[in-house]
Amino acid sequence: MPTSTFAAVNALDGLLDELGVGEARRRQLDMVRGEMDRALARGALPVGARRSLRRLLEEDAITPYLRLAESGALRARRVAGGHPPTSGPTNEIRRRCVDLLREAHGMPAPQLAGGEVALRPVPRQATLSALRRQLDRYLGGAMSPAQTRLTAVLCMELDTAARSGELIGQRLAHLADGNSAVYIERHPQGGAVVGAEPGEWIDTSPLTRAALDRWLPLRAELVRRTHGTSKLWVSLWMNHDGILDDDGRTVLRPAGMPLEENGLITSYRVGRLRYDGLRPLLPLKLEALRRAIAAERERTTA
């Protein structure tokens, strides 16, 4: 698919590449992508939606986009010499795709297609136990690189209740021999607590040690191809931030680079939708999962 002249659509392309849906759904999402690009070219959406994927997916851009698309004005080709309105089933598919894109980007779905019942903001203890069992099943079989990294991140999160910024700060030196423990440098919201230690060593579970045994060799291979880094979590693919330079080009970053916080959060959102069994176990946001794990740790240590 050709590069768009709009940074928001290029960022959408990156999201679609990571989403990993089936062929039929990908064709539907590509239809929506093309319509959004044409809507921006017509000047029919807010100016901010040209530069920001989040602005493109906000309701003040989605509402006029859907109205135009359903009218047939955004069709890629003529039908019977004109641009008739799209059918009811197509309209429903389009709205479901918008819901999916918003959720993958960490935005609450506006339930344009009816949607699903909202998840509890914080999972219960039984849900966390079910999540551990699901991750254990993953570790017993073949996994893609993205699933391998996400499984290790989720296992680490279950052990540490770390914030996303604390996770991306982890380095290989923060792992004890045999991955038996991990050091977390805490960055509490609102700044450091007076008298509190800046970090702590936490014993890892057998599940986390098994997940790291799968992730670390893959990480080493990715890093070997680039300049090298001591960061624990690294990118899997060449990527860009969706921002165009003055010549209309994007700056590409090779695989094996330190994973940024936005990349970590995006991998969580996408993995929640992509991998069987995760969607009912994970809340929409990683922070909600962290709060649930922190509450569980408080109960068990009280």
Side-chain angles (χ1 to χ4, degrees):
M1 185 170 293
T3 300
S4 172
T5 58
F6 302 107
V9 178
N10 288 317
L12 176 58
D13 288 339
L15 181 64
L16 292 175
D17 288 342
E18 289 190 352
L19 201 52
V21 295
E23 291 184 10
R25 179 64 79 187
R26 180 57 193 254
R27 287 194 297 270
Q28 295 165 357
L29 290 166
D30 284 343
M31 174 194 75
V32 169
R33 183 265 190 204
E35 291 176 340
M36 287 181 166
D37 195 47
R38 291 189 286 276
L40 289 169
R42 290 168 60 111
L45 306 183
V47 173
R50 299 177 180 181
R51 299 184 296 270
S52 164
L53 178 55
R54 177 168 289 273
R55 290 285 288 112
L56 180 60
L57 296 176
E58 287 178 349
E59 292 190 48
D60 63 344
I62 288 298
T63 298
Y65 155 66
L66 289 174
R67 183 173 63 249
L68 270 176
E70 291 173 3
S71 75
L74 300 179
R75 285 182 181 273
R77 57 182 64 88
R78 291 178 179 271
V79 176
H83 296 86
T86 55
S87 66
T90 297
N91 295 341
E92 179 71 8
I93 288 170
R94 182 183 292 113
R95 288 168 177 257
R96 289 188 182 279
C97 286
V98 169
D99 278 355
L100 179 61
L101 290 173
R102 283 175 57 96
E103 185 172 357
H105 199 54
M107 302 169 68
Q111 305 305 331
L112 299 169
E116 60 185 46
V117 177
L119 294 173
R120 292 181 179 274
V122 174
R124 294 183 175 183
Q125 186 171 0
T127 304
L128 295 178
S129 296
L131 175 59
R132 292 183 174 93
R133 292 194 296 272
Q134 181 64 62
L135 296 175
D136 187 51
R137 284 193 287 271
Y138 290 161
L139 290 166
M143 294 190 292
S144 68
Q147 190 176 18
T148 300
R149 186 182 66 185
L150 179 63
T151 298
V153 167
L154 291 175
C155 289
M156 182 71 72
E157 183 65 27
L158 285 165
D159 279 1
T160 65
R163 292 174 171 82
S164 56
E166 296 165 355
L167 287 172
I168 63 167
Q170 289 183 296
R171 298 181 180 274
L172 294 179
H174 292 160
L175 296 174
D177 291 344
N179 303 324
S180 59
V182 60
Y183 180 78
I184 296 291
E185 186 171 338
R186 299 296 186 184
H187 303 292
Q189 189 173 10
V193 178
V194 176
E197 293 295 327
E200 60 178 322
W201 282 95
I202 299 172
D203 291 338
T204 54
S205 64
L207 190 66
T208 297
R209 294 195 290 274
L212 289 171
D213 285 345
R214 296 286 291 270
W215 164 244
L216 289 175
L218 172 60
R219 177 207 168 277
E221 178 63 21
L222 290 164
V223 170
R224 185 183 63 80
R225 302 172 188 170
T226 58
H227 61 85
T229 177
S230 64
K231 287 295 186 71
L232 179 57
W233 310 110
V234 300
S235 61
L236 302 173
W237 302 284
M238 183 178 294
N239 61 80
H240 61 78
D241 58 11
I243 298 176
L244 302 178
D245 61 20
D246 293 339
D247 296 324
R249 297 188 298 266
T250 56
V251 178
L252 297 177
R253 303 172 72 248
M257 296 286 285
L259 190 65
E260 297 179 356
E261 187 170 6
N262 185 61
L264 176 71
I265 293 172
T266 298
S267 70
Y268 172 87
R269 295 167 181 160
V270 171
R272 176 181 172 273
L273 299 174
R274 177 186 292 177
Y275 303 118
D276 291 342
L278 283 187
R279 191 167 186 172
L281 301 177
L282 293 177
L284 184 62
K285 294 186 176 182
L286 177 60
E287 173 60 18
L289 177 64
R290 186 199 69 79
R291 288 189 284 111
I293 297 167
E296 181 188 53
R297 292 182 71 199
E298 288 180 5
R299 286 193 299 268
T300 57
T301 58

